[in-house]
Amino acid sequence: MIYFIQVIELLIIRVKESGDMKNEEKREKVDICHNEREGFFFCDVDGHRCVVEYEMKDNGATKDVFHTFVHPGCSGRGIAGELLKAVVDYAAERGKKIIPSCSYAVTYFRRHKEQQGLLAEGISVEDDGGSCRLPKIREA
């Protein structure tokens, strides 16, 4: 089942190719969806799928966020942060904890110290770590 979590306005700053190189602001609406059955949040930007994948652990009490992907053509727009925010908000609303196995998830929690209360017991993002593990292979 796919759930629409939120519509997020992303602020995108484009550098003009003109001689004075002024910044132009552009707002873009992105629908972040949740495929709970398969374990990922996603959005489609400029024809590219951007995702955050997780795996449930501890009998459903914890989300192990193990993979974040934003197409290189979409990078620099804050999309990965918005996807992680959707995961964090979803976990918080349901009383779940998070294990940030993905390096970007670790970075997100380092930047958002106010969210660190959602980390699973014994998890610290101040230690080295957080390397994305390969996504699980789904059988056809």
Side-chain angles (χ1 to χ4, degrees):
M1 230 180 253
I2 297 175
Y3 300 95
F4 284 90
I5 298 301
Q6 60 193 134
V7 175
I8 299 171
E9 288 187 6
L10 296 175
L11 177 64
I12 302 168
I13 299 176
R14 287 187 170 171
V15 178
K16 290 184 178 180
E17 295 298 324
S18 64
D20 60 359
M21 298 296 283
K22 290 182 181 177
N23 288 340
E24 176 184 337
E25 293 183 1
K26 178 183 175 188
R27 292 200 178 272
E28 177 179 332
K29 291 188 178 182
V30 177
D31 293 326
I32 295 182
C33 305
H34 182 202
N35 184 325
E36 190 169 320
R37 194 172 126 222
E38 295 292 323
F40 63 94
F41 286 78
F42 68 96
C43 62
D44 294 319
V45 179
D46 298 339
H48 303 290
R49 171 83 26 116
C50 303
V51 300
V52 170
E53 294 182 278
Y54 66 87
E55 183 175 66
M56 296 305 296
K57 295 194 171 186
D58 301 325
N59 294 318
T62 307
K63 287 184 181 298
D64 181 356
V65 178
F66 67 87
H67 183 238
T68 303
F69 174 78
V70 174
H71 188 276
C74 303
S75 66
R77 301 184 193 183
I79 295 167
E82 293 300 331
L83 285 165
L84 255 294
K85 182 181 181 316
V87 173
V88 167
D89 290 348
Y90 186 84
E93 290 169 4
R94 287 156 181 78
K96 307 292 184 193
K97 295 293 185 177
I98 297 175
I99 299 170
S101 294
C102 167
S103 60
Y104 185 80
V106 169
T107 298
Y108 180 89
F109 279 101
R110 285 180 180 160
R111 290 178 182 164
H112 299 276
K113 295 191 184 305
E114 72 280 4
Q115 303 288 354
Q116 290 183 11
L118 290 172
L119 293 173
E121 186 176 333
I123 301 294
S124 171
V125 293
E126 302 309 319
D127 301 330
D128 287 338
S131 59
C132 290
R133 60 183 171 95
L134 292 174
K136 64 182 177 183
I137 298 172
R138 295 186 176 97
E139 294 184 25

